[in-house]
Amino acid sequence: IDENDTFFDLLASNRYAVVGVSLGGSALAGRLPSFLKEVRRRSRNPAAGILVGGSILVEKPGLASHAGADFLAVDASSAVRMAEAAVAR
C-alpha cells in the first residue's frame, strides 16, 4: 500500500475503535505483519482493535496471530459480530 493511500489518511484523521483488513490471497501475506504495524503506528487510535479476514487467513489462521491481528473473522457475519463486541468494550 502506498504511503499516501487514502486508507492511512483516514486512519490518521478518525478515531476508529476497530480497523478491518481482508486478505484474499497469499501474494501479500508476507507483508501483513509490517502492514499491521504501520496501521497501529499511523492510527489516531493506537488502541484500535485490528480485525482480519480473508480466504488465506481462514485457511492458515496462524498467519493472523503472527501478523499481530487482534481478531480473525471467518466470514462477514462473524466480522460484524466481532467488531460490535470490540466497540462495546
Side-chain angles (χ1 to χ4, degrees):
I1 293 210
D2 187 330
E3 287 185 17
N4 296 317
D5 192 83
T6 303
F7 178 81
F8 286 116
D9 293 341
L10 289 169
L11 276 177
S13 62
N14 295 283
R15 193 166 173 80
Y16 296 108
V18 178
V19 178
V21 177
S22 179
L23 192 62
S26 61
L28 298 176
R31 293 179 52 197
L32 189 61
S34 61
F35 178 75
L36 295 186
K37 282 182 186 175
E38 191 68 7
V39 166
R40 290 194 194 279
R41 187 182 77 78
R42 294 174 76 174
S43 175
R44 185 170 179 194
N45 179 10
I50 297 181
L51 185 145
V52 297
S55 59
I56 188 68
L57 297 173
V58 171
E59 291 171 17
K60 299 179 180 182
L63 292 174
S65 59
H66 171 73
D70 299 307
F71 311 99
L72 171 61
V74 296
D75 56 31
S77 61
S78 68
V80 171
R81 284 192 305 275
M82 289 178 182
E84 287 174 340
V87 170
R89 289 194 266 155

